Amino acid sequence: MAARLATPASPKNHKVKAPQPGQPMYGCEHLQRLFNQDQATTNTSIQHYKAILHTIFAKSPLIAQTAKTVDGQPVTELTPTYLCLQCPSTLTEDDRTKHGTKKSHRFYVDSRCGTLYCQMCDDIVYDPTFEELRLKKLGTGSFASRKRKIEELFEATDPVRENPTFLSANTMAASCKAGGLRGIYNAGATCYQNVVLQSFLHNPILRNFYLSDGHSSSNCDVSHCLSCAMDDMFQDFYAAEATNGYTAANILSGFWISDKKAFENLVTTKEQDAHEFFQFLAEELHERNGDGKRPESGTDHTCTCIIHQTYYGKLLSTTTCQNCSAVTNQKQSFLDLSLPLENLSQKKGKNRPARPNGTLTLQECLDEEYIKSDKCEYRCTNCNSMQQARRQTSILKLPNVLSIQLKRFEYKQGRNERAVKIDTPVQFPLELNMLPYTNTARTRDVSAEYELARSCTYDLLCVVVHVGEIDTGHYVSYCRVGDQWFVFNDHKVEVAQISDVLNSRPYLLFYVVRSLS
Amino acid sequence: MVRPVAWEESIAPSSQTPTSHSSTTIIHHAATMSSSDTDGTGKAGVIVAPDDASPMDKLSHAVLDDLLYNIVHDLLIKVHRDEKMARANTAAIKVEKLAMNATDGATADPNPDVVVDTDAAVYKDGQVTLKGNPLKTTKEILCPRCHLPRLLYPTDGKGARKPDPGVIYCKKHPYIQKPGYDIYGQTWVAPGPGRGKKKKDQKFDPNDPSSPAPDTGSAKDRPPNVLSFPSATCSKCKRCILVTRLNNHMGSCIGNSGRTASRAAAQKISNGSNGGSQNNDNTPPGSQKGTPLPGSRAASPRKRDADEFDEDAEDSDLPGNPKKKTKLKTGSGANTLTKKVILKAKVPPSMAATLGKKDKPKASSMLNVEQKVDDDDNKDSTVQVAPKKPTPVPKSASPSKKIKLGPPKPPLPSPGSLKKTKRERDLESESSGTLSSPPPR
């Protein structure tokens, strides 16, 4: 038993989660009995559960999937095994009952997801104490609350956090109807704005920021501030009962009034590129909330503003001179990853047997950019001359929300040079592991680091799709709210199936890091 | 040592894979899934390797089997967790409510000395503990926030059931899945005649009873779930603008410092540059007054500009400003006319709506969108302009427009050829107008 205890000598008494209103105290009557026996039992149960979770989520799956049969023979299964909470045995489903009868051990942990099975209920039970531990482990890889970090982020802006009565006295609970699911009216060729705004609205970090008064429009005296307009929009989406479309008049006017550079080519009332609008909006919001410095692409610019915390990551380019092997490193921050499709779809046709109609996968595109190296000319300071060099880019710091642009356009050479849309389907996953593209993965072997892989796992949040031709068409977006997907077509919101989402031809993809949600 | 994967796996666990579709039965299976009893829950049609299959065949069958089992397992756990926790919380809410009623209503928190006992839970010492499995003891789900029962089925569309009229439900309803409607069961004023065309449509009604109801525009006759497009206030001029024209309006009102810009833009367009993306056209407005007008292509943007002018005219409402009026005449009056004729002449009456819809956005300076409704609204608004104009010049234009628009023209080319010409026109416009503009990537 002691073999599994992570901290056997720990004097700390583990506590059962305090009762919450509207929630039972324990997962079932039997767990209630277990927790009410004595402090020692509670301690060992919780410690044991933590150790089991660690085995399941942070070690090779081979360990948890290998059970010992009654006659002592190890068996590895693909299907879930059951780890006894009260002793270090791992059991197959069939042997679980026998073990229970023999040893009177009644609680087992499912090796696939770490949920607790109670033999007396003959059901999986969700105990508040255990579930909290499980979700923390699953999310952040540790039992220490990482959530606090995010809370700290907002602490400065939220002075009433400590005093719950202040909150209840001064606020009104939003209606249950207000779920943030509303369309945005097309104000005349503004669907490129709508899709980006929807991706902001369903971004959990931005939502928390604005709903916790991160930028309060009542305290801001910048006229036609875009961040205030965002604030108003978030309030309207998440606090009002309205179900009709939203009129983004303030955003639109803020956008027209803005004197930013990005504004100039967006000025006309014609169709625009959603990606450019995303960049514009991100920079504008950074300016309103951040350190006031303009984020210049290509620089290693860091800022603590909400936009940087959400979207910005860092790339590391390593250039190796082919002559003297001198290495130059360059860091740069990025708002999004732009993945070219044109070369890849051509290359693909030559080399490998392609999938039907030249389908690519997102991982192939990422491989091309962030694993493979390319040749370039560069001026080597060591040789003091122009030299051939190998350049390799990898991700130094992953952002919380990873935005990916698939460059669905190319310039056709010829008499009348013009842009052409690349309609190649790109398969993209609901769950994306970014570990292979990080600098960490380049410098050491990470195949056994399950915790690390988990922290680099992203879940698909939003897909922006462009339909139509290169210079005219329509944008729609898919966003996930909880586990449900919705398709946003200007003012119209409909339920979407996952297959609809995955069969779409993405232009922009937004992934949110799992350890947040 | 460790034996190869899955040899021990009999077919038994997978055969429990539920095939039923109702969520409650799935949950029931989830509840029993982890137990080892295999009694007759529906088989999911697992293909068993024949007895004489090679070991490799049997292995791959077994592996596939296990993988499917895992997928179903994960899905079930998710649904099971949501449902069971919702019901456990419901049981807790109910018993807390009873405890609250048992104490005097003075305090917000129930008295911890009260002991309340229901079939599903016990309230004692200020704690709620469960009795039995909430999946069995609790049938409904209460919203954890408003404590009202949740509606469990959508009220319309796929899987709809009639809600109990005697129950007040939580306002969060299951989302509706019904073609043509959004998740709240809403729809927007149908494409077709709007308020601007009302007169014309009434004229047509006897001939064409199948045409959509002419009065979709008036709010009174609409069912409550049919919404119309709202208006919004321009933050600069404080005028109320229909949302579908807001961007256009702001472009001219705020965009390049107001009116002069819109005028300049209009000139640019009438110069044939159409897209309006070239901002380097510095020709002074005056010098362009007499410029001959190009063909029908540019008509639509000009029409929209005419709208702007119209607003300007309303705004100033002065007898003066002859410049404006001349422009109106040349710009909107004559030209829209030619355009309308071209468009409608080719269109069989039944197709008029669809074509107008599709053609419009492309013709109108790359107004993107295949958005039916608001294009249509655009159309309405442009048409509406005519009768509203107080000035003599447009007045003379509008009746003639009506006449031209009125009767559906007999020549009916095949839809194919129609589309072709349309496409050709689009291509033309794309090459002419957008070279300098950034492509939507």
Side-chain angles (χ1 to χ4, degrees):
Chain A
M1 200 155 163
R4 268 226 192 109
L5 299 183
T7 48
S10 168
K12 192 182 140 199
N13 275 345
H14 291 273
K15 272 192 210 119
V16 176
K17 203 178 171 215
Q20 306 280 322
Q23 202 181 330
M25 181 87 180
Y26 307 101
C28 68
E29 295 158 285
H30 316 105
L31 273 176
Q32 179 187 354
R33 233 174 286 152
L34 179 81
F35 280 129
N36 284 336
Q37 248 165 29
D38 51 48
Q39 185 59 45
T41 319
T42 308
N43 281 353
T44 43
S45 299
I46 291 179
Q47 274 172 1
H48 223 146
Y49 189 66
K50 281 183 170 180
I52 291 174
L53 288 179
H54 190 71
T55 313
I56 293 173
F57 292 124
K59 295 198 181 148
S60 162
L62 207 58
I63 299 174
Q65 290 300 120
T66 304
K68 219 174 223 173
T69 56
V70 188
D71 48 351
Q73 217 161 19
V75 181
T76 304
E77 294 204 14
L78 281 179
T79 50
T81 58
Y82 293 87
L83 291 82
C84 181
L85 186 75
Q86 287 143 300
C87 75
S89 333
T90 303
L91 304 145
T92 61
E93 195 175 351
D94 294 336
D95 289 344
R96 200 181 51 199
T97 332
K98 289 179 207 153
H99 181 83
T101 339
K102 205 167 91 187
K103 299 250 176 102
S104 309
H105 291 168
R106 301 300 181 195
F107 302 103
Y108 303 89
V109 183
D110 180 316
S111 69
R112 262 188 90 72
C113 39
T115 47
L116 194 76
Y117 167 80
C118 168
Q119 200 167 48
M120 283 175 285
C121 294
D122 191 13
D123 197 3
I124 288 167
V125 291
Y126 305 95
D127 183 75
T129 314
F130 284 149
E131 275 298 284
E132 195 179 65
L133 291 172
R134 186 177 77 93
L135 293 180
K136 264 186 204 159
K137 187 71 186 172
L138 204 58
T140 61
S142 83
F143 296 112
S145 171
R146 176 171 166 188
K147 210 179 148 205
R148 186 161 297 154
K149 261 192 200 164
I150 296 153
E151 270 168 17
E152 273 164 17
L153 247 176
F154 303 118
E155 213 155 35
T157 56
D158 192 5
V160 293
R161 183 173 292 275
E162 301 303 306
N163 191 349
T165 49
F166 183 88
L167 274 185
S168 56
N170 290 282
T171 54
M172 232 167 47
S175 157
C176 300
K177 204 173 184 177
L181 286 163
R182 285 175 74 183
I184 306 174
Y185 283 114
N186 190 326
T190 58
C191 59
Y192 69 95
Q193 299 184 2
N194 293 352
V195 290
V196 174
L197 291 177
Q198 289 288 3
S199 86
F200 274 57
L201 279 164
H202 296 104
N203 181 328
I205 308 175
L206 290 180
R207 186 191 60 206
N208 290 353
F209 173 77
Y210 277 106
L211 293 185
S212 63
D213 256 0
H215 181 104
S216 170
S217 49
S218 51
N219 295 336
C220 175
D221 44 12
V222 180
S223 71
H224 302 292
C225 166
L226 258 182
S227 197
C228 293
M230 289 294 283
D231 187 45
D232 292 344
M233 183 169 72
F234 271 100
Q235 298 297 341
D236 236 55
F237 269 71
Y238 288 98
E241 263 188 32
T243 53
N244 65 342
Y246 178 74
T247 309
N250 286 341
I251 304 253
L252 198 63
S253 64
F255 160 72
W256 275 105
I257 286 166
S258 163
D259 52 357
K260 287 286 287 276
K261 194 85 183 131
F263 176 62
E264 294 224 359
N265 42 6
L266 285 166
V267 80
T268 49
T269 49
K270 55 193 283 295
E271 290 176 38
Q272 297 293 348
D273 177 27
H275 179 246
E276 274 175 25
F277 183 72
F278 169 61
Q279 290 175 319
F280 162 81
L281 200 58
E283 285 181 19
E284 187 80 9
L285 293 179
H286 155 73
E287 208 141 290
R288 291 277 165 266
N289 295 299
D291 57 6
K293 271 186 235 148
R294 222 188 124 85
E296 277 168 46
S297 56
T299 57
D300 177 22
H301 176 245
T302 329
C303 170
T304 52
C305 78
I306 184 66
I307 293 294
H308 273 74
Q309 302 251 10
T310 311
Y311 290 110
Y312 278 82
K314 268 179 196 165
L315 289 174
L316 181 73
S317 306
T318 311
T319 318
T320 315
C321 175
Q322 296 296 79
N323 189 34
C324 66
S325 306
V327 176
T328 324
N329 283 327
Q330 200 202 356
K331 286 183 200 171
Q332 54 179 230
S333 56
F334 66 90
L335 171 66
D336 47 31
L337 302 177
S338 282
L339 304 176
L341 297 180
E342 43 181 332
N343 297 333
L344 209 56
S345 55
Q346 283 158 12
K347 210 186 277 178
K348 189 104 188 229
K350 279 181 219 152
N351 293 347
R352 278 166 280 175
R355 279 174 279 271
N357 50 23
T359 308
L360 296 169
T361 66
L362 183 66
Q363 286 91 339
E364 279 166 351
C365 302
L366 286 164
D367 283 355
E368 196 67 25
E369 286 293 295
Y370 302 106
I371 289 188
K372 292 178 186 160
S373 55
D374 58 347
K375 275 185 198 154
C376 67
E377 292 264 307
Y378 106 121
R379 179 155 194 92
C380 178
T381 46
N382 209 16
C383 314
N384 215 1
S385 62
M386 290 300 282
Q387 290 294 340
Q388 286 286 323
R390 285 221 147 259
R391 187 177 49 194
Q392 200 177 28
T393 310
S394 61
I395 299 171
L396 194 61
K397 179 179 165 277
L398 280 163
N400 281 326
V401 176
L402 178 72
S403 39
I404 296 174
Q405 179 208 15
L406 299 168
K407 291 191 198 159
R408 291 201 168 274
F409 48 87
E410 62 182 324
Y411 288 93
K412 277 258 160 70
Q413 301 291 325
R415 199 163 47 85
N416 45 354
E417 206 175 329
R418 62 199 189 100
V420 181
K421 188 177 169 188
I422 307 173
D423 240 340
T424 316
V426 175
Q427 292 178 355
F428 53 99
L430 286 172
E431 179 187 319
L432 178 65
N433 179 14
M434 288 300 288
L435 182 61
Y437 315 107
T438 57
N439 192 48
T440 322
R442 165 165 307 165
T443 46
R444 61 187 159 102
D445 180 35
V446 289
S447 56
E449 297 193 40
Y450 300 97
E451 288 280 321
L452 194 61
R454 194 181 312 282
S455 71
C456 296
T457 303
Y458 283 77
D459 289 312
L460 189 62
L461 183 69
C462 178
V463 183
V464 170
V465 179
H466 181 257
V467 285
E469 295 304 307
I470 183 96
D471 43 14
T472 182
H474 185 46
Y475 282 107
V476 293
S477 62
Y478 295 94
C479 292
R480 179 172 56 85
V481 178
D483 285 325
Q484 180 63 57
W485 282 90
F486 295 92
V487 55
F488 294 85
N489 184 351
D490 288 335
H491 53 271
K492 202 157 186 181
V493 188
E494 282 173 85
V495 171
Q497 305 302 321
I498 290 181
S499 57
D500 300 339
V501 179
L502 293 180
N503 284 327
S504 63
R505 297 197 176 175
Y507 172 49
L508 301 177
L509 291 166
F510 294 90
Y511 281 93
V512 62
V513 72
R514 178 168 295 175
S515 52
L516 263 182
S517 50
Chain B
M1 294 303 291
V2 173
R3 278 207 255 159
V5 150
W7 282 115
E8 258 61 34
E9 268 306 308
S10 73
I11 207 74
S14 315
S15 66
Q16 291 171 23
T17 312
T19 47
S20 60
H21 295 292
S22 95
S23 62
T24 43
T25 17
I26 286 179
I27 282 148
H28 170 71
H29 287 308
T32 55
M33 182 181 65
S34 26
S35 75
S36 50
D37 81 320
T38 53
D39 58 325
T41 44
K43 286 202 174 188
V46 172
I47 302 163
V48 185
D51 288 338
D52 56 346
S54 69
M56 205 55 199
D57 270 5
K58 283 185 179 165
L59 175 64
S60 28
H61 270 92
V63 169
L64 178 69
D65 216 27
D66 282 355
L67 293 180
L68 289 174
Y69 177 87
N70 282 346
I71 292 171
V72 174
H73 176 268
D74 291 355
L75 282 173
L76 281 181
I77 290 280
K78 212 182 245 174
V79 177
H80 179 257
R81 179 175 186 273
D82 289 350
E83 188 73 17
K84 191 169 182 183
M85 287 180 72
R87 297 221 201 163
N89 292 345
T90 300
I93 291 166
K94 276 183 172 171
V95 79
E96 277 173 7
K97 230 192 245 173
L98 287 175
M100 191 90 93
N101 291 346
T103 49
D104 350 312
T107 49
D109 296 314
N111 187 345
D113 297 336
V114 177
V115 178
V116 183
D117 199 333
T118 66
D119 289 344
V122 182
Y123 182 91
K124 196 183 173 189
D125 303 330
Q127 283 183 11
V128 177
T129 49
L130 288 173
K131 265 170 76 182
N133 191 333
L135 288 176
K136 287 179 189 144
T137 56
T138 310
K139 290 290 168 240
E140 60 177 351
I141 292 177
L142 296 184
C143 170
R145 289 172 63 184
C146 65
H147 295 186
L148 291 170
R150 279 266 165 84
L151 194 57
L152 298 179
Y153 303 93
T155 49
D156 199 3
K158 202 171 153 189
R161 291 202 194 173
K162 268 228 162 72
D164 184 344
V167 179
I168 304 165
Y169 290 100
C170 165
K171 281 178 183 164
K172 185 179 160 70
H173 289 186
Y175 300 115
I176 290 169
Q177 293 183 60
K178 189 180 179 186
Y181 294 83
D182 77 349
I183 49 169
Y184 302 109
Q186 299 168 148
T187 189
W188 275 261
V189 272
R195 53 207 159 88
K197 267 188 187 167
K198 218 171 166 184
K199 266 183 207 162
K200 193 200 93 185
D201 270 287
Q202 276 161 354
K203 219 189 289 172
F204 269 106
D205 258 355
N207 304 338
D208 192 6
S210 64
S211 74
D215 49 355
T216 37
S218 64
K220 283 173 236 153
D221 310 322
R222 259 187 272 130
N225 67 335
V226 179
L227 308 177
S228 62
F229 286 80
S231 294
T233 317
C234 170
S235 62
K236 190 176 184 196
C237 61
K238 307 289 177 213
R239 249 179 301 168
C240 215
I241 310 289
L242 187 72
V243 64
T244 51
R245 285 194 291 153
L246 201 62
N247 193 30
N248 259 329
H249 168 83
M250 284 185 179
S252 51
C253 184
I254 306 168
N256 305 325
S257 65
R259 267 190 206 176
T260 41
S262 79
R263 214 168 295 158
Q267 242 97 45
K268 224 179 294 159
I269 289 158
S270 58
N271 266 354
S273 60
N274 181 39
S277 59
Q278 293 101 330
N279 293 328
N280 50 4
D281 188 353
N282 292 323
T283 328
S287 74
Q288 292 182 348
K289 242 188 289 171
T291 318
L293 296 156
S296 64
R297 263 301 301 145
S300 185
R302 189 175 302 110
K303 247 193 319 159
R304 278 187 289 119
D305 283 284
D307 259 9
E308 238 81 289
F309 285 121
D310 176 42
E311 283 150 19
D312 284 354
E314 275 175 71
D315 185 33
S316 56
D317 227 354
L318 294 169
N321 248 337
K323 216 190 247 173
K324 217 177 266 167
K325 277 174 192 162
T326 14
K327 205 158 295 141
L328 258 181
K329 186 165 76 182
T330 51
S332 94
N335 224 11
T336 24
L337 242 175
T338 39
K339 193 217 163 185
K340 286 277 173 178
V341 174
I342 284 168
L343 268 182
K344 299 287 173 179
K346 286 177 184 170
V347 183
S350 62
M351 282 192 62
T354 33
L355 181 79
K357 196 196 310 166
K358 282 192 174 168
D359 207 11
K360 202 71 169 210
K362 297 198 173 154
S364 57
S365 83
M366 257 69 61
L367 244 191
N368 59 337
V369 227
E370 264 118 49
Q371 254 319 9
K372 293 152 202 172
V373 203
D374 71 277
D375 289 337
D376 192 66
D377 253 75
N378 239 348
K379 185 159 69 182
D380 297 342
S381 44
T382 47
V383 177
Q384 180 201 25
V385 163
K388 223 165 72 183
K389 272 171 211 159
T391 48
V393 180
K395 240 178 210 163
S396 69
S398 56
S400 66
K401 201 196 268 173
K402 266 187 195 148
I403 292 158
K404 295 274 181 181
L405 276 172
K409 294 288 195 275
L412 309 173
S414 76
S417 69
L418 216 162
K419 270 182 195 146
K420 208 175 156 196
T421 43
K422 196 183 66 180
R423 213 170 288 140
E424 275 163 13
R425 243 187 292 145
D426 289 341
L427 276 179
E428 236 173 78
S429 73
E430 276 158 29
S431 57
S432 71
T434 54
L435 276 179
S436 67
S437 62
R441 295 163 202 164

